[in-house]
Amino acid sequence: MFTSLQPGAIGVETSGISETLELAARHGFAGVHFSIQQAAQLGANRLKDMAAAHGVRLSAFGFPVNFRGDLSEFGVGLEALPAQVEVAAALDVRRTATWIVPASDDLTYEENFQLHATRLRPCADILADYDIRLGLEYVAPKTKRLGVKHEFVHTMDQMADLCQAVGPNCGFLIDAWHWYTAHEDVTHLQRLSADQVVDVHANDAPEGRAVDEQIDSERCLPGETGLIDIVTFLTCLKRIGYDGPVMVEPFSDRVRQMSADDACAATVASLRQVFTDAGI
């Protein structure tokens, strides 16, 4: 496993991949998560040279297709995907991931499942042509489903069914936050193989709230409160053989109020500490 920076996830705005690479290098992140659209604009050769010059790996790219919108918008994204995936393959980046909205006022569970499988399957097929895996993140907090008519995928087991329906190169984006708020434990992680885990997020939870009261947009840096057993989480992933990136997505006002350098420094320090505690 290795540390990876996604500036937006910690509330840091950058002017693009160049500044992201500079921040990552300055603070000792091993990799960066990046926009494939920005990468395509720069060109694969130029971006590879930039990453090499900074000594930083290109970890994963955000899944670029809007499969949640109307059919015409989805069609535009699907049509653009092959050229974007070709850039990712030229960069030797084999991971992309996105999240799944856990409830709908309009679609039943079965209708929503069919919609996701139907739209994500052709995307996964294109990715598979370039040996790129698609990671899907379930969003678990109970507070994200309250007041919404129909629940949708929000646990690891439910996500396993959706991944199977999408295709063999579809797996999990595993987030410690959602593992915790889904009331899951080590047995869930132990059932996974390394190939099923595409990407990993490490976070912690604010004190003073029960698990089912946790709010998705209010989190902490990994190891900050200890409510989430991040050491056990990472140790289990290490034991199944996961060797990919780990990024932080704390949605923390405290971190957002820091300067870019201070936020990056606090984030990488938190990752290094939990890595050390987990023997990584």
Side-chain angles (χ1 to χ4, degrees):
M1 278 179 270
F2 60 93
T3 61
S4 188
L5 172 66
Q6 212 287 14
I10 60 173
V12 170
E13 294 185 9
T14 69
S15 57
I17 296 178
S18 177
E19 187 179 355
T20 298
L21 288 167
E22 290 173 6
L23 276 171
R26 186 156 65 244
H27 293 282
F29 286 91
V32 296
H33 283 62
F34 64 96
S35 159
I36 195 62
Q37 294 94 332
Q38 291 182 11
Q41 290 175 351
L42 282 169
N45 289 336
R46 183 181 175 195
L47 181 51
K48 285 174 73 173
D49 289 344
M50 290 167 59
H54 285 93
V56 175
R57 299 171 64 170
L58 298 168
S59 305
F61 62 97
F63 184 62
V65 179
N66 183 5
F67 59 95
R68 306 177 190 90
D70 60 37
L71 187 58
S72 61
E73 189 173 5
F74 167 70
V76 170
L78 184 63
E79 185 177 359
L81 186 60
Q84 295 167 333
V85 170
E86 189 171 349
V87 172
L91 293 167
D92 197 27
V93 176
R94 308 293 173 179
R95 306 169 191 267
T96 184
T98 188
W99 72 97
I100 301 300
V101 178
S104 170
D105 280 323
D106 302 317
L107 300 175
T108 66
Y109 190 102
E110 293 76 15
E111 291 168 341
N112 214 353
F113 190 99
Q114 184 62 34
L115 175 69
H116 280 74
T118 299
R119 291 194 178 183
L120 288 172
R121 193 177 297 120
C123 300
D125 289 343
I126 293 169
L127 292 168
D129 288 340
Y130 293 86
D131 194 28
I132 295 174
R133 291 183 292 156
L134 171 62
L136 301 180
E137 179 184 39
Y138 59 95
V139 174
K142 185 176 182 179
T143 52
K144 288 291 287 186
R145 307 188 304 277
L146 292 176
V148 186
K149 190 172 181 181
H150 304 291
E151 291 192 345
F152 191 47
V153 169
H154 58 276
T155 69
M156 192 181 297
D157 288 343
Q158 291 171 336
M159 183 59 80
D161 291 337
L162 182 57
C163 289
Q164 185 175 19
V166 171
N169 68 316
C170 184
F172 297 88
L173 189 172
I174 298 290
D175 189 320
W177 168 267
H178 299 304
W179 173 73
Y180 166 74
T181 55
H183 297 272
E184 292 168 346
D185 56 30
V186 294
T187 63
H188 295 82
L189 297 171
Q190 290 168 344
R191 294 200 298 262
L192 300 174
S193 67
D195 286 344
Q196 289 178 288
V197 184
V198 178
D199 205 351
V200 169
H201 292 176
N203 304 290
D204 209 340
E207 294 177 311
R209 289 179 183 153
V211 176
D212 287 340
E213 296 172 343
Q214 292 289 349
I215 298 169
D216 197 44
S217 59
E218 299 176 11
R219 311 182 191 178
C220 301
L221 293 173
E224 185 173 337
T225 67
L227 283 185
I228 297 178
D229 188 355
I230 193 64
V231 172
T232 294
F233 176 81
L234 292 173
T235 300
C236 285
L237 291 174
K238 180 181 71 172
R239 286 176 178 167
I240 67 170
Y242 177 73
D243 61 0
V246 180
M247 61 164 272
V248 177
E249 193 177 47
F251 300 138
S252 164
D253 283 340
R254 182 178 71 85
V255 177
R256 279 192 288 260
Q257 290 167 8
M258 296 179 182
S259 69
D261 279 308
D262 286 347
C264 289
T267 299
V268 78
S270 71
L271 273 178
R272 284 173 174 163
Q273 184 60 59
V274 296
F275 271 32
T276 297
D277 293 343
I280 298 169

